[in-house]
Amino acid sequence: MALPPLPPPHTRVGVGGVLVRDGRALVNRAVYRTRFTIPSGYVEAGEGLEDALRREFEEETGVSVRVGRLLIVRYKVLDPAASDVYFAFALEHVAGEPRACPPEIAEVREVPVAEVDRAEWISELSRLAIGLTARATGWPRSSWSGGEVPGLRTEAYHP
């Protein structure tokens, strides 16, 4: 007996980054949100995770960053035909000073990392990601970049 074809699922891929400087984490609030989050956004077609994160971070805060270790991977089902996967990374400051970049971002703040756990005005996922930057060292980055496989643009992580 043949099974009917499955409907095409749609998965959105998001990225976010934790930038900590002088013991303070950078968070922002989009005009359509009530809570602050780490700067985040969606990956565009054909764009790598790190490229998307650097682009989104600069678009939202005016700050250029270097992408470091992976902190969080979160997957959630939005409805029967849509899901969302999100990757949060630790970042290093390269250039620029934080500012709210309209039209999407209303405010930016640099919050002492020691106060983040109690800051309920920051989203829970963002508080978790910020807390992880201060704790474990995470997985080391691999130098593997897809090898000789055509079209494969990824990186492996290992303990």
Side-chain angles (χ1 to χ4, degrees), residues 8-9 40 51 54 60 65 68 81 94 107 114:
S40 306
D51 292 336
R54 284 189 294 269
E60 293 186 2
V65 294
V94 172
E107 298 177 67

Side-chain angles (χ1 to χ4, degrees), residues 8-42:
H10 174 71
T11 300
R12 298 185 305 185
V13 178
V15 290
V18 178
L19 177 61
V20 175
R21 295 190 308 162
D22 301 321
R24 300 173 75 84
L26 180 62
V27 293
N28 64 10
R29 185 181 63 78
V31 295
Y32 50 84
R33 288 197 173 122
T34 57
R35 298 169 93 188
F36 281 72
T37 65
I38 59 175
S40 306
Y42 287 107

Side-chain angles (χ1 to χ4, degrees), residues 7 15 21 27 31 42 55 59 61 68 76 90 103 114 116 126 129 153:
V15 290
R21 295 190 308 162
V27 293
V31 295
Y42 287 107
R55 175 185 52 75
E59 286 176 3
T61 69
K76 68 179 176 181
V116 167
S126 292
R153 290 184 48 205

Side-chain angles (χ1 to χ4, degrees), residues 26-142:
L26 180 62
V27 293
N28 64 10
R29 185 181 63 78
V31 295
Y32 50 84
R33 288 197 173 122
T34 57
R35 298 169 93 188
F36 281 72
T37 65
I38 59 175
S40 306
Y42 287 107
V43 178
E44 295 175 355
E47 189 175 39
L49 296 177
E50 292 183 14
D51 292 336
L53 181 50
R54 284 189 294 269
R55 175 185 52 75
E56 286 287 349
F57 213 89
E58 191 156 351
E59 286 176 3
E60 293 186 2
T61 69
V63 174
S64 297
V65 294
R66 181 175 300 111
V67 179
R69 65 189 169 91
L70 179 65
L71 299 169
I72 292 175
V73 175
R74 190 258 305 129
Y75 175 81
K76 68 179 176 181
V77 175
L78 303 171
D79 62 50
S83 58
D84 183 283
V85 63
Y86 176 80
F87 300 87
F89 293 87
L91 303 174
E92 295 176 36
H93 182 264
V94 172
E97 288 303 314
R99 68 183 192 288
C101 295
E104 185 181 4
I105 303 303
E107 298 177 67
V108 296
R109 293 184 187 173
E110 290 183 285
V111 184
V113 171
E115 296 175 17
V116 167
D117 279 343
R118 296 181 308 278
E120 293 184 12
W121 49 271
I122 299 174
S123 77
E124 183 178 353
L125 185 63
S126 292
R127 289 194 319 258
L128 175 62
I130 293 166
L132 288 171
T133 63
R135 291 195 276 277
T137 58
W139 298 315
R141 297 297 298 269
S142 169

